[in-house]
Amino acid sequence: MHYLRVIGVAFCSLPSSDDVSRPIIPSDSFAHQSGFVGGFEIRPAPDGKGMGAFSTVAIEKGTTLGEYTGEVLTRAEVEARYWGTRKESTNDRKWRKSRGRRNQGISGDYLFDMGNDLFIDGEDADVSSWCRFANHADELNDSDEGFDGGACNTEMIRRLSWDEDESQQLRLYMVALRDIEPQEEICYDYGGEYW
């Protein structure tokens, strides 16, 4: 098991001696159900990658597939809850108990740094979207003649949006880098910092 620290939208691993097994995500969770609505199926992925997201329809290059959602955490909360570099508060301990009671993971593997000391934590399947199931694949294989294949078919893009009260919010979306065929696994490059 490892903890993740996120730089931009890339990860970098922090080793941990703990071996925390991954919980089973029930098929009635929001993370699973949001995929069905969006045209994605969540099922075991090849090569021992755990669960993966697979398109059920053809998707054109440039299409926004979905929003990476989850709990919004501050840097202080991430440092206490995942990185162990800050003492846990009463709220942090309540959060940890809630995750355990609901069989939700506490690995830190689903964090995205959104800047301004805010993170999206997609690990809790009760509040995260299907995008949490997208696995890693290497970058696109580009050549002088154009795209020649490659398993990496999406990228994460930050976009600024405005809420009803006209406050700005930075959000994270998954966008197709190329045309995606039905039954193809949805993957993006986690970045060299992750490994």
Side-chain angles (χ1 to χ4, degrees), residues 1-193:
M1 209 257 339
H2 58 275
Y3 289 97
L4 298 176
R5 177 171 289 156
V6 188
I7 311 292
V9 198
F11 301 98
C12 63
S13 297
L14 295 176
S16 170
S17 59
D18 300 313
D19 183 22
V20 178
S21 62
R22 298 215 181 266
I24 306 250
I25 307 295
S27 60
D28 64 346
S29 70
F30 179 74
H32 273 277
Q33 295 302 313
S34 65
F36 298 137
V37 172
F40 301 93
E41 179 183 13
I42 309 306
R43 65 176 193 249
D47 304 322
K49 294 188 286 185
M51 300 300 282
F54 295 81
S55 176
T56 60
V57 297
I59 300 170
E60 290 184 15
K61 177 181 179 178
T63 301
T64 299
L65 281 65
E67 181 180 3
Y68 190 96
T69 61
E71 188 176 3
V72 177
L73 302 177
T74 65
R75 175 170 294 280
E77 289 169 326
V78 170
E79 288 174 349
R81 297 173 184 185
Y82 290 118
W83 299 343
T85 58
R86 184 183 292 257
K87 185 177 177 182
E88 285 188 343
S89 68
T90 302
N91 284 338
D92 296 326
R93 288 187 291 280
K94 287 180 182 177
W95 172 89
R96 186 173 298 282
K97 285 180 184 176
S98 171
R99 287 268 180 109
R101 197 172 42 253
R102 295 178 298 111
N103 194 31
Q104 299 296 318
I106 307 176
S107 70
D109 288 351
Y110 300 87
L111 288 173
F112 273 92
D113 186 345
M114 297 301 288
N116 295 328
D117 290 335
L118 293 176
F119 295 78
I120 296 176
D121 180 6
E123 190 156 7
D124 187 336
D126 291 339
V127 296
S128 62
S129 71
W130 69 268
C131 296
R132 74 182 299 283
F133 291 106
N135 285 313
H136 169 76
D138 291 329
E139 294 181 22
L140 288 170
N141 298 324
D142 290 322
S143 67
D144 293 336
E145 294 80 36
F147 176 73
D148 65 353
C152 181
N153 53 20
T154 63
E155 64 181 336
M156 294 295 201
I157 301 289
R158 295 185 216 187
R159 293 183 183 153
L160 196 58
S161 65
W162 285 263
D163 292 334
E164 297 86 35
D165 64 355
E166 297 191 24
S167 62
Q168 292 182 357
Q169 183 179 13
L170 195 57
R171 299 168 83 165
L172 189 62
Y173 294 92
M174 185 172 284
V175 177
L177 287 171
R178 60 174 174 79
D179 290 347
I180 300 171
E181 298 298 320
Q183 301 308 310
E184 189 174 341
E185 184 178 7
I186 304 302
C187 296
Y188 67 98
D189 186 352
Y190 289 3
E193 295 85 7

